[in-house]
Amino acid sequence: MIEYPAKDDAPRSHLPFSPATKVGDLIFVSGQASVDGTGKIISDSFEGEMRRSIENLRKVLESCGSDLAHVVQTRNYVRDATDNAEYNRIYMDIFKAPFPARTTITNCLSPALR
């Protein structure tokens, strides 16, 4: 059975995708950004935006009956490679060893998102 769980406090997007899709015990989460509950982008420091994005991920996982401790893989997009050290520091603060499998791509976001 395919489910599309979502609680009222989970972040929403105006784009055509579900925040998460659950199939059996697996949860597939769409990309999370520094947005409020309505999908409006909230600009902040790098740390503020990353922590807001992770908080949105936490809310989506919670709406599926899970949490950050059960994340097995992440895909990350970092606007500027100069933020990698801070990104790794925050990532290690949120996820604990053994860390989830991870792919991180830098300098790839549209100039409109800068």
Side-chain angles (χ1 to χ4, degrees):
M1 177 188 318
I2 300 173
E3 300 175 63
Y4 304 93
K7 289 185 177 178
D8 289 340
D9 69 335
R12 306 270 183 214
S13 176
H14 61 281
L15 300 172
F17 64 84
S18 297
T21 303
K22 186 173 181 180
V23 181
D25 291 336
L26 299 176
I27 302 167
F28 301 88
V29 179
S30 295
Q32 297 300 308
S34 178
V35 298
D36 66 13
T38 67
K40 179 183 175 200
I41 294 174
I42 306 298
S43 295
D44 200 344
S45 65
F46 177 84
E47 181 169 0
E49 289 183 12
M50 182 170 173
R51 290 194 182 275
R52 185 173 291 103
S53 298
I54 297 295
E55 176 61 16
N56 287 341
L57 170 61
R58 187 194 62 73
K59 288 177 182 179
V60 170
L61 289 170
E62 193 175 82
S63 73
C64 297
S66 191
D67 58 37
L68 292 170
H70 291 91
V71 172
V72 297
Q73 180 180 25
T74 66
R75 291 184 188 98
N76 308 276
Y77 301 88
V78 178
R79 186 178 321 160
D80 189 329
T82 62
D83 292 321
N84 277 343
E86 187 173 13
Y87 160 75
N88 283 318
R89 178 186 60 77
I90 297 165
Y91 190 93
M92 288 187 296
D93 185 43
I94 294 165
F95 295 104
K96 305 302 180 201
F99 298 103
R102 179 178 105 175
T103 300
T104 303
I105 300 171
T106 60
N107 300 333
C108 60
L109 297 174
S110 164
L113 297 175
R114 294 181 184 192

